[in-house]
Coordinates of all heavy atoms in Angstrom, one line a residue:
Q571 N 17.0 40.6 -41.6 CA 16.8 40.8 -43.1 C 15.3 40.7 -43.5 O 14.9 41.4 -44.3 CB 17.6 39.8 -43.8 CG 19.1 40.0 -43.8 CD 19.9 38.9 -44.5 OE1 19.4 37.9 -44.8 NE2 21.2 39.2 -44.7
D572 N 14.6 39.8 -42.8 CA 13.2 39.6 -43.2 C 12.3 40.1 -42.1 O 11.1 39.6 -41.9 CB 12.9 38.1 -43.4 CG 11.7 37.8 -44.2 OD1 11.2 38.8 -44.9 OD2 11.1 36.7 -44.1
Y573 N 12.7 41.1 -41.3 CA 12.0 41.5 -40.1 C 10.6 42.1 -40.5 O 9.6 41.8 -39.7 CB 12.8 42.6 -39.4 CG 12.1 43.1 -38.1 CD1 12.0 42.3 -37.0 CD2 11.6 44.4 -38.0 CE1 11.4 42.7 -35.8 CE2 11.0 44.9 -36.9 CZ 10.9 44.0 -35.8 OH 10.3 44.5 -34.7
A574 N 10.5 42.8 -41.6 CA 9.2 43.5 -41.9 C 8.1 42.4 -42.1 O 7.0 42.5 -41.6 CB 9.4 44.3 -43.1
N575 N 8.4 41.4 -42.9 CA 7.4 40.4 -43.2 C 7.1 39.5 -42.0 O 5.9 39.2 -41.7 CB 7.9 39.4 -44.3 CG 8.1 40.1 -45.6 OD1 7.3 41.1 -45.9 ND2 9.0 39.7 -46.5
I576 N 8.1 39.3 -41.2 CA 7.9 38.5 -39.9 C 7.0 39.3 -39.0 O 6.1 38.7 -38.4 CB 9.3 38.2 -39.3 CG1 10.1 37.2 -40.1 CG2 9.1 37.6 -37.9 CD1 11.5 37.0 -39.6
K577 N 7.2 40.6 -38.9 CA 6.4 41.4 -38.0 C 4.9 41.4 -38.4 O 4.0 41.3 -37.6 CB 6.9 42.8 -37.9 CG 6.2 43.7 -36.9 CD 6.9 45.0 -36.8 CE 6.1 45.9 -35.7 NZ 6.8 47.2 -35.6
K578 N 4.7 41.5 -39.7 CA 3.3 41.4 -40.2 C 2.6 40.1 -39.9 O 1.5 40.0 -39.5 CB 3.3 41.7 -41.7 CG 3.6 43.1 -42.1 CD 3.6 43.3 -43.6 CE 3.9 44.7 -44.0 NZ 3.9 44.9 -45.5
S579 N 3.4 39.0 -40.1 CA 2.8 37.7 -39.8 C 2.5 37.6 -38.3 O 1.5 37.0 -37.9 CB 3.9 36.6 -40.2 OG 3.4 35.4 -39.8
I580 N 3.4 38.1 -37.4 CA 3.2 38.0 -36.0 C 2.0 38.8 -35.6 O 1.1 38.3 -34.8 CB 4.5 38.5 -35.2 CG1 5.6 37.5 -35.4 CG2 4.1 38.7 -33.8 CD1 5.4 36.1 -34.8
E581 N 1.8 40.0 -36.2 CA 0.7 40.8 -35.8 C -0.7 40.2 -36.2 O -1.7 40.3 -35.5 CB 0.8 42.2 -36.5 CG 1.9 43.0 -35.9 CD 2.1 44.4 -36.6 OE1 1.6 44.5 -37.8 OE2 2.8 45.2 -36.1
K582 N -0.7 39.5 -37.4 CA -1.9 38.8 -37.8 C -2.2 37.7 -36.9 O -3.4 37.5 -36.5 CB -1.7 38.3 -39.3 CG -2.9 37.6 -39.9 CD -2.6 37.2 -41.3 CE -3.8 36.5 -41.9 NZ -3.6 36.0 -43.3
Q583 N -1.2 36.8 -36.5 CA -1.5 35.7 -35.6 C -1.9 36.2 -34.2 O -2.7 35.6 -33.5 CB -0.2 34.9 -35.5 CG 0.2 34.2 -36.8 CD 1.5 33.5 -36.7 OE1 1.5 32.4 -36.1 NE2 2.5 34.0 -37.2
Q584 N -1.3 37.4 -33.9 CA -1.7 38.0 -32.6 C -3.1 38.4 -32.5 O -3.8 38.3 -31.5 CB -0.7 39.2 -32.4 CG -0.8 39.7 -31.0 CD 0.4 40.8 -30.8 OE1 1.5 40.4 -30.5 NE2 0.0 42.0 -31.0
E585 N -3.6 39.0 -33.6 CA -5.0 39.4 -33.7 C -5.9 38.2 -33.6 O -7.0 38.3 -33.0 CB -5.2 40.2 -35.0 CG -4.6 41.5 -35.1 CD -4.7 42.2 -36.4 OE1 -5.4 41.6 -37.3 OE2 -4.2 43.4 -36.6
E586 N -5.6 37.1 -34.3 CA -6.4 35.9 -34.2 C -6.5 35.4 -32.8 O -7.5 35.0 -32.3 CB -5.8 34.8 -35.1 CG -5.9 35.2 -36.6 CD -5.2 34.2 -37.5 OE1 -4.6 33.2 -36.9 OE2 -5.3 34.3 -38.7
Y587 N -5.3 35.4 -32.1 CA -5.3 35.0 -30.7 C -6.2 35.9 -29.8 O -6.9 35.4 -28.9 CB -3.9 34.9 -30.2 CG -3.8 34.5 -28.7 CD1 -4.0 33.2 -28.3 CD2 -3.6 35.5 -27.8 CE1 -4.0 32.8 -27.0 CE2 -3.6 35.2 -26.4 CZ -3.8 33.8 -26.0 OH -3.7 33.5 -24.7
A588 N -6.1 37.2 -30.1 CA -6.9 38.2 -29.3 C -8.4 37.9 -29.5 O -9.1 38.0 -28.5 CB -6.5 39.6 -29.7
A589 N -8.8 37.6 -30.7 CA -10.2 37.3 -30.9 C -10.6 36.0 -30.2 O -11.7 35.9 -29.6 CB -10.5 37.1 -32.4
K590 N -9.7 35.0 -30.2 CA -10.0 33.8 -29.5 C -10.1 34.0 -28.0 O -11.0 33.4 -27.3 CB -8.8 32.8 -29.8 CG -9.0 31.5 -29.1 CD -7.7 30.6 -29.4 CE -7.8 29.3 -28.6 NZ -6.6 28.4 -28.8
R591 N -9.2 34.9 -27.4 CA -9.3 35.2 -26.0 C -10.5 35.9 -25.6 O -11.1 35.7 -24.6 CB -8.1 36.0 -25.6 CG -6.8 35.3 -25.3 CD -6.9 34.4 -24.1 NE -7.1 35.2 -22.9 CZ -7.9 34.9 -21.9 NH1 -8.7 33.9 -22.0 NH2 -8.0 35.7 -20.8
A592 N -11.0 36.8 -26.5 CA -12.2 37.5 -26.2 C -13.4 36.5 -26.2 O -14.3 36.6 -25.3 CB -12.5 38.6 -27.3
A593 N -13.4 35.6 -27.1 CA -14.5 34.5 -27.1 C -14.4 33.7 -25.8 O -15.4 33.3 -25.2 CB -14.3 33.7 -28.3
E594 N -13.2 33.4 -25.4 CA -13.0 32.6 -24.1 C -13.5 33.3 -22.9 O -14.2 32.8 -22.0 CB -11.6 32.2 -24.0 CG -11.1 31.2 -24.9 CD -9.6 30.9 -24.8 OE1 -8.9 31.6 -24.0 OE2 -9.1 29.9 -25.4
K595 N -13.3 34.6 -22.9 CA -13.7 35.4 -21.7 C -15.2 35.5 -21.7 O -15.8 35.4 -20.6 CB -13.1 36.9 -21.8 CG -11.6 36.9 -21.5 CD -11.1 38.3 -21.6 CE -9.6 38.4 -21.3 NZ -9.1 39.8 -21.4
S596 N -15.9 35.7 -22.9 CA -17.3 35.8 -22.9 C -17.9 34.5 -22.5 O -19.0 34.4 -21.8 CB -17.8 36.2 -24.3 OG -17.4 35.3 -25.2
Q597 N -17.3 33.4 -23.0 CA -17.8 32.1 -22.6 C -17.7 31.8 -21.1 O -18.6 31.2 -20.5 CB -17.0 31.0 -23.4 CG -17.5 29.6 -23.2 CD -16.8 28.6 -24.0 OE1 -15.9 28.9 -24.7 NE2 -17.1 27.3 -23.8
E598 N -16.6 32.2 -20.5 CA -16.4 32.1 -19.1 C -17.4 32.9 -18.3 O -17.9 32.4 -17.3 CB -15.0 32.5 -18.7 CG -14.6 32.2 -17.3 CD -14.4 30.8 -17.0 OE1 -14.2 30.0 -17.9 OE2 -14.6 30.4 -15.8
E599 N -17.8 34.1 -18.8 CA -18.8 34.9 -18.1 C -20.1 34.2 -18.2 O -20.9 34.2 -17.2 CB -18.8 36.3 -18.8 CG -17.6 37.1 -18.5 CD -17.6 38.4 -19.2 OE1 -18.6 38.7 -20.0 OE2 -16.7 39.2 -19.1
R600 N -20.5 33.7 -19.3 CA -21.8 33.0 -19.4 C -21.8 31.7 -18.5 O -22.8 31.4 -17.9 CB -22.0 32.6 -20.9 CG -22.3 33.7 -21.8 CD -22.9 33.3 -23.1 NE -22.0 32.3 -23.8 CZ -21.1 32.7 -24.7 NH1 -20.9 34.0 -25.0 NH2 -20.3 31.8 -25.3
K601 N -20.7 31.0 -18.5 CA -20.6 29.9 -17.6 C -20.8 30.2 -16.2 O -21.5 29.5 -15.4 CB -19.2 29.2 -17.8 CG -19.1 27.9 -17.0 CD -17.7 27.3 -17.3 CE -17.5 26.0 -16.5 NZ -16.2 25.4 -16.8
N602 N -20.2 31.3 -15.7 CA -20.4 31.7 -14.3 C -21.9 32.1 -14.0 O -22.4 31.9 -12.9 CB -19.5 32.9 -14.0 CG -18.0 32.5 -14.0 OD1 -17.7 31.3 -13.7 ND2 -17.1 33.4 -14.2
E603 N -22.5 32.7 -15.0 CA -23.9 33.1 -14.8 C -24.8 31.9 -14.7 O -25.8 31.9 -13.9 CB -24.4 33.9 -16.0 CG -23.7 35.3 -16.1 CD -24.2 36.1 -17.3 OE1 -24.9 35.5 -18.1 OE2 -23.7 37.3 -17.4
N604 N -24.5 30.8 -15.5 CA -25.3 29.6 -15.4 C -24.7 28.5 -14.6 O -24.9 27.3 -14.7 CB -25.5 29.0 -16.9 CG -26.2 30.0 -17.8 OD1 -27.1 30.7 -17.3 ND2 -25.7 30.0 -19.0
K605 N -23.8 28.9 -13.6 CA -23.1 27.9 -12.8 C -24.1 27.1 -11.9 O -25.0 27.7 -11.3 CB -22.1 28.7 -11.9 CG -21.2 27.8 -11.1 CD -20.2 28.6 -10.4 CE -19.2 27.7 -9.6 NZ -18.2 28.5 -8.9
P606 N -24.0 25.8 -11.9 CA -24.9 25.0 -11.0 C -24.8 25.4 -9.6 O -23.7 25.8 -9.1 CB -24.3 23.6 -11.2 CG -23.6 23.6 -12.5 CD -23.0 25.0 -12.6
G607 N -25.9 25.4 -8.9 CA -25.9 25.8 -7.5 C -26.8 27.0 -7.4 O -27.5 27.2 -6.3
F608 N -26.9 27.9 -8.4 CA -27.7 29.1 -8.3 C -29.2 28.7 -8.4 O -30.1 29.5 -8.0 CB -27.3 30.1 -9.3 CG -26.0 30.7 -9.1 CD1 -24.9 30.2 -9.8 CD2 -25.7 31.7 -8.1 CE1 -23.6 30.8 -9.6 CE2 -24.5 32.2 -7.9 CZ -23.4 31.7 -8.7
D609 N -29.5 27.6 -9.1 CA -30.9 27.2 -9.3 C -31.4 26.3 -8.1 O -32.5 25.8 -8.2 CB -31.1 26.5 -10.6 CG -30.2 25.3 -10.7 OD1 -29.3 25.1 -9.8 OD2 -30.3 24.6 -11.7
G610 N -30.5 26.1 -7.1 CA -30.9 25.3 -6.0 C -31.1 23.9 -6.2 O -31.8 23.2 -5.5
R611 N -30.4 23.3 -7.2 CA -30.5 21.9 -7.5 C -29.4 21.0 -6.9 O -29.3 19.9 -7.2 CB -30.5 21.7 -9.0 CG -31.6 22.4 -9.7 CD -33.0 22.1 -9.2 NE -33.3 20.7 -9.3 CZ -34.3 20.1 -8.8 NH1 -35.1 20.8 -8.0 NH2 -34.5 18.8 -9.0
W612 N -28.6 21.6 -6.0 CA -27.5 20.8 -5.3 C -28.0 20.4 -4.0 O -27.2 20.2 -3.1 CB -26.3 21.7 -5.2 CG -25.4 21.7 -6.4 CD1 -25.7 21.0 -7.6 CD2 -24.2 22.4 -6.7 NE1 -24.7 21.2 -8.5 CE2 -23.8 22.1 -8.0 CE3 -23.5 23.3 -5.9 CZ2 -22.7 22.6 -8.5 CZ3 -22.4 23.8 -6.5 CH2 -21.9 23.5 -7.8
Y613 N -29.2 20.2 -3.7 CA -29.7 19.7 -2.5 C -30.9 18.7 -2.8 O -31.5 18.8 -3.9 CB -30.1 20.8 -1.5 CG -31.2 21.7 -2.1 CD1 -32.5 21.4 -2.0 CD2 -30.8 22.9 -2.7 CE1 -33.5 22.3 -2.5 CE2 -31.7 23.8 -3.2 CZ -33.1 23.4 -3.1 OH -34.0 24.3 -3.7
T614 N -31.2 17.9 -1.9 CA -32.3 16.9 -2.1 C -33.6 17.6 -2.1 O -34.0 18.4 -1.1 CB -32.3 15.9 -1.0 OG1 -31.0 15.3 -1.0 CG2 -33.3 14.8 -1.2
D615 N -34.4 17.4 -3.1 CA -35.7 18.0 -3.2 C -36.7 17.1 -2.5 O -37.1 16.1 -2.9 CB -36.1 18.1 -4.7 CG -37.4 19.0 -4.9 OD1 -38.0 19.4 -3.8 OD2 -37.8 19.2 -6.0
I616 N -37.1 17.6 -1.3 CA -38.0 16.8 -0.5 C -39.4 16.6 -1.1 O -40.0 15.6 -1.0 CB -38.2 17.4 0.9 CG1 -36.8 17.5 1.6 CG2 -39.2 16.6 1.8 CD1 -36.9 18.2 2.9
N617 N -39.8 17.6 -1.9 CA -41.1 17.6 -2.5 C -41.2 16.6 -3.6 O -42.3 16.1 -4.0 CB -41.5 19.0 -3.1 CG -41.7 20.0 -1.9 OD1 -42.1 19.6 -0.8 ND2 -41.3 21.2 -2.2
A618 N -40.0 16.2 -4.1 CA -40.0 15.3 -5.2 C -39.9 13.8 -4.8 O -39.9 12.9 -5.6 CB -38.7 15.5 -6.1
Q619 N -39.9 13.6 -3.4 CA -39.8 12.3 -2.9 C -41.2 11.6 -3.2 O -42.2 12.2 -3.3 CB -39.5 12.3 -1.4 CG -38.2 12.9 -1.0 CD -37.1 12.0 -1.5 OE1 -37.2 10.8 -1.6 NE2 -35.9 12.7 -1.8
T620 N -41.1 10.3 -3.2 CA -42.3 9.5 -3.5 C -43.2 9.5 -2.2 O -42.8 9.9 -1.2 CB -42.0 8.1 -3.9 OG1 -41.1 7.6 -2.9 CG2 -41.2 8.1 -5.2
N621 N -44.4 9.0 -2.4 CA -45.3 8.9 -1.3 C -44.9 8.0 -0.2 O -43.9 7.2 -0.3 CB -46.7 8.5 -1.8 CG -47.2 9.6 -2.7 OD1 -46.9 10.8 -2.6 ND2 -48.0 9.1 -3.7
A622 N -45.6 7.9 0.9 CA -45.2 7.1 2.1 C -45.2 5.6 1.7 O -44.7 4.8 2.5 CB -46.2 7.4 3.2
G623 N -45.9 5.2 0.6 CA -45.9 3.8 0.3 C -44.7 3.3 -0.4 O -44.7 2.2 -0.9
D624 N -43.6 4.1 -0.5 CA -42.4 3.7 -1.2 C -41.8 2.5 -0.5 O -41.9 2.4 0.8 CB -41.4 4.8 -1.3 CG -41.9 5.9 -2.3 OD1 -42.7 5.5 -3.1 OD2 -41.3 7.0 -2.3
S625 N -41.1 1.7 -1.2 CA -40.4 0.6 -0.6 C -39.2 1.0 0.2 O -38.7 2.1 0.1 CB -40.0 -0.4 -1.6 OG -39.0 0.2 -2.5

Side-chain angles (χ1 to χ4, degrees):
Q571 288 176 349
D572 198 23
Y573 181 70
N575 294 330
I576 292 174
K577 186 175 182 180
K578 289 181 181 179
S579 175
I580 292 294
E581 289 176 348
K582 182 179 179 181
Q583 296 175 75
Q584 191 172 276
E585 290 176 359
E586 294 175 356
Y587 175 77
K590 179 183 175 183
R591 277 291 296 135
E594 289 176 348
K595 288 181 180 180
S596 61
Q597 183 179 0
E598 187 69 22
E599 291 176 358
R600 290 194 302 270
K601 183 178 178 181
N602 290 333
E603 290 176 358
N604 300 324
K605 189 175 180 180
F608 293 101
D609 57 355
R611 302 303 300 171
W612 276 358
Y613 55 85
T614 303
D615 189 357
I616 299 176
N617 296 326
Q619 298 294 331
T620 55
N621 296 327
D624 289 343
S625 64

